[in-house]
Amino acid sequence: MKHLVLLIALLAFFGPIPATADVTADLQRAIDSAIASGPGGRVTFPEGIYHLDCGNSTRFGTCLQISGAAGLRLAGSGADKTRFVISNPQMGFLSVSDSSDVEIGGFAIDYSSVPFTQGTVLQVDGVRNELSVALDAGYPRFDAAIFSAQNLSTTFGMIFDPNTARLKKGIPDHFGIGYAEAKGDGSWRVGLSAVNGIAAGDRFVLPHRGSSLFTFFRNQGIRFRGVRVAASPGLVSAWVQNHGVIGIEGIEIHRTGNRLLSSTADAFHLLDNDAKVSITGCTLEGMADDALNTRSTAFPIVAIEPGGALILDGQGVRGFAPGQLLQVVDPATQLPRGASAIVSAWTRPDGRIRVYAQGGIAGARAGDLVFNASFATPNILVRGNVFSYFRGIFRVRSPGAILAYNRVEDPENARVLVSADIVPSWKEGPSLLDHLPGVYFYGNSVSGGDFNLLKLNYQNAGVPQLSGTDALLSHPLAFDPEFYRSFYWDLAGMSESGLRSHWLRHGIQEARRGSAGLSPEEYLELYPDLSRAFGSDRISGILHFLLFGNAQELRSGSWAGGPHVFDPTAYRALNQDLGGMSVSQLGVHWLRHGIGEGRRAHLKFHSREYLALYADLRDHLGGTGYGGAIRHFVAHGATREFRSGSYTTDARVYLPTEYASRNSDLAGLSELELGAHWLLHGIGEGRQASPDFWTLRYLSLYPDLQSAFGSDYRAALEHFVLHGLREGRVSR
């Protein structure tokens, strides 16, 4: 892997912000050069202050852009040493799009002209709903570009208590803005939607709601850590259509000096991400909106076919895929009608999506909204963060989200909206009120109170029921009642509540398995550091997996059913005799039969091929040691020895994007559907899926292979990976 280290040799200052040259173009050139150098490029910013003026015309409204990068590292010398100062309060700092394995951090960001203004209320006119406001020195005037009439229509005013520098209690937390006009005495006349409860001497704040400071769009794997934010013209970070692993760690958002705000919108806003996400060790303060918002896009049902297939208005959406979980919500009541897994989905020529869910969704009708719950960042981990005084709440629609060991300074902020929120301005979901796993709470502290759940129309539903050790031990990643009942015949007649009670009171201690993906016994066995720390304490093993191992440390919960070797949706797609099985039933079949039969349950791994690839494993495990092959791959091959798990989907012969581009009849298929087609049909048909290999050309180049294999294209591909590469044979 090529590494390019670019030390930005620019005049940099540390200390009070000086007037210096704009370095936006220089920094962008450095980033572009690092991307062009290939995977592993690195841009390092030495200690100093870097000034960015920025224009107004970039794709995501940010000063700097990263696109198409692989393995790029963008690193400062630490938030105390490397600082970026932006002069344009309408522009964000950085966008990252269509990239993979990108790491960003080690710096601080501020604005020389902040994206909000603040001042003191001088007079209140209750008849006109009007304030007289004197702005603080150094803050933007109301006639600045960020407060144009168009921008005023998208923002709101806030009233702060002059004694506490926090939102004033007993009045609304925001007010609509009608106008802001200069008065002859240097103060400003500001029209509000109401002025009840506002008094002379109160503090007034008006944010600009514009570009996100950071935008992450359609990436595979992001690590975002060690960034300190003093101001943002919109969302601090917007996460849209990302997948893979996202680690957000040690982000600081705080107010400085006499500022009443930090960011003018949410801290973390996640839309349509099917990624494994952790947010840990962050400190957040002073946002003008929510700390966290996780959701997926709403798709209207335009028609329902007689067989139950839903036709969705899905212009511009990523393709839905089998196995993903859909929820239908009635927009009038905002209540869910039901949820079910996708069996089939495809995009029609008119751009609409035809999707069929397992068993259909009773009561669904045209005009309802469909949310893909698998895109709502399921099982997100939010752990060990400090949330200190901001305007909003937590809006969490991630099934199975875990909030653990967090501290919330103001109980007004410790409210978690778990229902759909459908209004003319936005349509947010899914709803966790029914059919989907809820939010789990563990070890949090709230100053002077507790977390409270909000349901429909922000009605308080009280403290969370999914709180404490027993609740967390029953998290879907640890306990699947359908799996538990099917896997253990002695439990066949139990109700779901009875199964859960058995799991908590007996199953864990009896070393039973609660889900396909987590076995406490195997988890402790796989990792010597955990077995040394916990011994055979299975409860500690389960809690460690949920709070640390799964989302943050990326440990496998089981050698037999872990994510490196078992994907239930792939298992169904690649084994057509299993087509009618639920996810839980697939897990049971895999553990009871599939492993021993040498079946394939993952696009990137197949025990038969793994043994074929490595003679040392065949010698040790035998030609049919499929269980041993899986155990070796999870414990050693995938994470320590970096062995390939499959020759038929090795990157030298198969790239999903290449396969789709070379075969027009496969357009619109998801990555899983492409992989399944390649393995079940494409290889045997002699299709091409790589710029460097094509079985037909390989056979035509070597008469001995043509004689040996004829039109057995699978055998030819196998020969190329297992023998041809070592023999120096080519296929170009």
Side-chain angles (χ1 to χ4, degrees), residues 142-264:
F142 285 118
D143 54 6
I146 59 173
F147 299 128
S148 66
Q150 180 179 356
N151 289 343
L152 283 181
S153 67
T154 63
T155 189
F156 47 79
M158 295 178 285
I159 301 298
F160 282 69
D161 186 318
N163 299 311
T164 64
R166 299 175 194 165
L167 286 169
K168 187 173 182 178
K169 303 289 186 181
I171 65 173
D173 63 6
H174 67 288
F175 297 86
I177 299 291
Y179 56 86
E181 302 170 349
K183 298 173 65 177
D185 59 1
S187 64
W188 294 80
R189 184 181 295 109
V190 181
L192 300 185
S193 54
V195 295
N196 295 340
I198 305 176
D202 287 344
R203 302 282 281 150
F204 178 81
V205 178
L206 181 65
H208 164 66
R209 309 270 283 185
S211 299
S212 300
L213 190 66
F214 290 90
T215 298
F216 299 94
F217 176 66
R218 216 163 50 194
N219 301 292
Q220 169 78 39
I222 296 287
R223 191 169 186 185
F224 180 48
R225 61 177 185 168
V227 173
R228 182 180 298 157
V229 174
S232 170
L235 305 171
V236 172
S237 60
W239 304 80
V240 183
Q241 294 185 17
N242 299 284
H243 50 287
V245 176
I246 294 174
I248 303 171
E249 179 184 352
I251 305 302
E252 300 177 41
I253 305 171
H254 66 112
R255 303 183 295 183
T256 63
N258 72 336
R259 296 180 188 177
L260 295 171
L261 288 186
S262 55
S263 78
T264 64

Side-chain angles (χ1 to χ4, degrees), residues 522-668:
E522 293 178 15
Y523 185 58
L524 295 173
E525 175 191 333
L526 273 171
Y527 301 103
D529 60 323
L530 300 184
S531 60
R532 286 192 298 270
F534 305 131
S536 59
D537 185 345
R538 302 179 188 92
I539 289 178
S540 293
I542 295 171
L543 294 177
H544 183 277
F545 176 75
L546 295 171
L547 298 175
F548 301 92
N550 175 54
Q552 187 180 19
E553 298 175 1
L554 307 181
R555 303 195 194 219
S556 176
S558 160
W559 66 263
H564 294 299
V565 298
F566 177 66
D567 174 349
T569 307
Y571 192 45
R572 183 195 289 121
L574 296 170
N575 297 272
Q576 296 176 332
D577 59 318
L578 310 180
M581 289 189 178
S582 68
V583 169
S584 302
Q585 292 168 337
L586 289 165
V588 172
H589 186 278
W590 167 249
L591 294 169
R592 281 212 182 127
H593 309 290
I595 293 174
E597 294 170 5
R599 297 204 187 205
R600 185 176 197 132
H602 200 284
L603 293 182
K604 298 294 185 180
F605 177 81
H606 188 192
S607 56
R608 292 175 182 266
E609 294 183 14
Y610 191 55
L611 290 171
L613 278 167
Y614 301 106
D616 61 324
L617 299 183
R618 291 196 304 276
D619 293 342
H620 179 63
L621 301 170
T624 58
Y626 306 131
I630 291 172
R631 183 188 294 265
H632 182 277
F633 182 70
V634 173
H636 306 285
T639 56
R640 300 178 188 176
E641 300 172 5
F642 302 105
R643 300 198 190 207
S644 174
S646 165
Y647 58 75
T648 50
T649 54
D650 186 285
R652 292 168 292 189
V653 299
Y654 174 74
L655 296 170
T657 52
E658 189 77 16
Y659 191 48
S661 67
R662 289 180 179 273
N663 296 274
S664 59
D665 59 319
L666 307 181

Side-chain angles (χ1 to χ4, degrees), residues 648 659 675-689 693-696 699 709-718:
T648 50
Y659 191 48
H677 186 278
W678 166 250
L679 292 168
L680 296 176
H681 309 289
I683 295 174
E685 294 170 4
R687 299 205 189 202
Q688 186 172 358
F693 178 78
W694 186 23
T695 47
L696 273 66
L699 291 171
F709 303 131
S711 59
D712 188 344
Y713 302 131
R714 186 174 295 274
L717 182 149
E718 179 178 331

Side-chain angles (χ1 to χ4, degrees), residues 439-456:
V439 180
Y440 290 74
F441 297 80
Y442 187 83
N444 300 290
S445 65
V446 177
S447 179
D450 201 345
F451 272 107
N452 279 263
L453 295 183
L454 302 180
K455 54 182 183 179
L456 292 175

Side-chain angles (χ1 to χ4, degrees), residues 37 127 179 380 442 467:
S37 73
V127 176
Y179 56 86
I380 184 174
Y442 187 83
S467 180

Side-chain angles (χ1 to χ4, degrees), residues 95 97 188 660 690:
S95 63
S97 63
W188 294 80
S690 166

